[in-house]
Amino acid sequence: MQNVIYHREILNQSGMDMLSLCKGQLEKAKDSFVNHDSDLAEEVIRTETRVNALDLKIEKDCEKFIALYTPVAIDLRFVIALLKINSELERIADHAYSISKYVIDIDTVIPPHLLKATQFDKMFETVMFMLDDVTEAYENKNVKIARKVFKKDRILDELNIKSFTVLEEEIKKDNEIIAEALIIFSVVKKLERVGDLIKNIAEDIIFYVDAEVLKHQKKK
């Protein structure tokens, strides 16, 4: 029994490490994009190897945990949830990587008025609040905190929808900003997808703690 608890805690800490690493990647990607900081973008790209290594380690450790202990009930839900959370975090880090690649590969400074018009800062801030919520919910097994993510995700969806109309209007005013508008639209879409992934993480935490499956509930 003690071995199960010990190895579960090691897995749990790996999950916290992955949350922290991916959050840092996203913050640096945003700063590199807004400030057109190629050095910071390169750091995000280099750190991707650490993300991938930790992703693989968590996968293997979860497989070993299942093989060694044949977990049931909450232990089984924990390892299933962690596998899903790990995969979703790795995809969040991929989006951070892609945003940073824009800075390196497309040497274009985004006009500040476009960032302001699309409420880019508010959108990114909402994403980070969502990440804070799932981190706290995961660490403290708190489903009430996890559920806060759903309302924030709706805010993110609204900002994403509005951004298309806003950018369309900006292009009508000045058709020389088409390239920059397309880049920021792509990044906004990535942030919207990150929000969806964080929402999935919140659902995974609720499943782990309360054995409640939320996936597809709205569709039903």
Side-chain angles (χ1 to χ4, degrees):
M1 182 65 180
Q2 286 184 339
N3 282 343
V4 175
I5 295 170
Y6 172 73
H7 283 107
R8 190 176 67 194
E9 283 306 308
I10 290 175
L11 280 175
N12 189 60
Q13 185 56 52
S14 293
M16 287 299 300
D17 292 344
M18 189 68 161
L19 275 160
S20 177
L21 183 58
C22 292
K23 182 180 177 182
Q25 285 288 87
L26 205 55
E27 287 176 329
K28 289 172 185 175
K30 183 258 187 177
D31 288 341
S32 71
F33 180 72
V34 170
N35 301 314
H36 199 66
D37 187 334
S38 59
D39 290 335
L40 193 55
E42 289 282 7
E43 184 180 333
V44 173
I45 290 166
R46 286 196 304 272
T47 306
E48 176 72 2
T49 56
R50 281 181 57 202
V51 175
N52 292 337
L54 185 53
D55 168 46
L56 292 173
K57 181 182 183 299
I58 290 172
E59 274 190 16
K60 288 177 182 176
D61 288 350
C62 284
E63 289 168 2
K64 286 178 184 176
F65 186 84
I66 293 169
L68 282 172
Y69 303 113
T70 319
V72 295
I74 193 167
D75 287 334
L76 180 59
R77 294 200 307 274
F78 165 70
V79 76
I80 290 171
L82 181 56
L83 280 167
K84 291 181 178 179
I85 290 167
N86 181 54
S87 174
E88 284 144 1
L89 286 170
E90 193 273 334
R91 288 167 66 192
I92 287 171
D94 283 345
H95 286 305
Y97 175 89
S98 297
I99 292 168
S100 297
K101 284 284 283 180
Y102 279 132
V103 179
I104 302 298
D105 297 341
I106 307 171
D107 192 18
T108 303
V109 177
I110 304 300
H113 76 277
L114 285 184
L115 295 170
K116 185 177 181 181
T118 53
Q119 299 185 72
F120 184 84
D121 282 343
K122 182 179 179 181
M123 195 168 192
F124 183 82
E125 185 180 67
T126 303
V127 166
M128 298 313 293
F129 282 147
M130 291 170 73
L131 264 178
D132 287 341
D133 286 341
V134 293
T135 300
E136 183 179 349
Y138 177 84
E139 186 173 16
N140 299 312
K141 303 178 183 64
N142 190 322
V143 296
K144 187 176 180 181
I145 298 294
R147 292 182 192 277
K148 287 184 177 182
V149 164
F150 304 138
K151 184 177 181 180
K152 293 184 177 79
D153 186 56
R154 289 194 292 273
I155 293 170
L156 210 56
D157 289 341
E158 289 170 8
L159 290 171
N160 173 54
I161 292 166
K162 287 178 183 177
S163 69
F164 180 81
T165 305
V166 167
L167 288 170
E168 186 180 30
E169 290 301 317
E170 292 294 329
I171 290 170
K172 286 178 182 176
K173 294 176 191 175
D174 180 6
N175 60 19
E176 291 186 1
I177 62 162
I178 291 175
E180 291 86 347
L182 288 173
I183 292 170
I184 195 169
F185 182 67
S186 178
V187 172
V188 163
K189 290 297 292 180
K190 289 181 188 303
L191 290 179
E192 189 267 337
R193 291 186 193 113
V194 167
D196 287 341
L197 290 166
I198 298 171
K199 184 178 72 171
N200 291 345
I201 292 171
E203 292 175 354
D204 295 333
I205 292 167
I206 293 166
F207 163 73
Y208 154 45
V209 177
D210 277 0
E212 181 183 355
V213 179
L214 298 182
K215 192 175 182 181
H216 303 313
Q217 269 194 14
K218 190 174 180 181
K219 292 178 183 177
K220 291 177 182 177

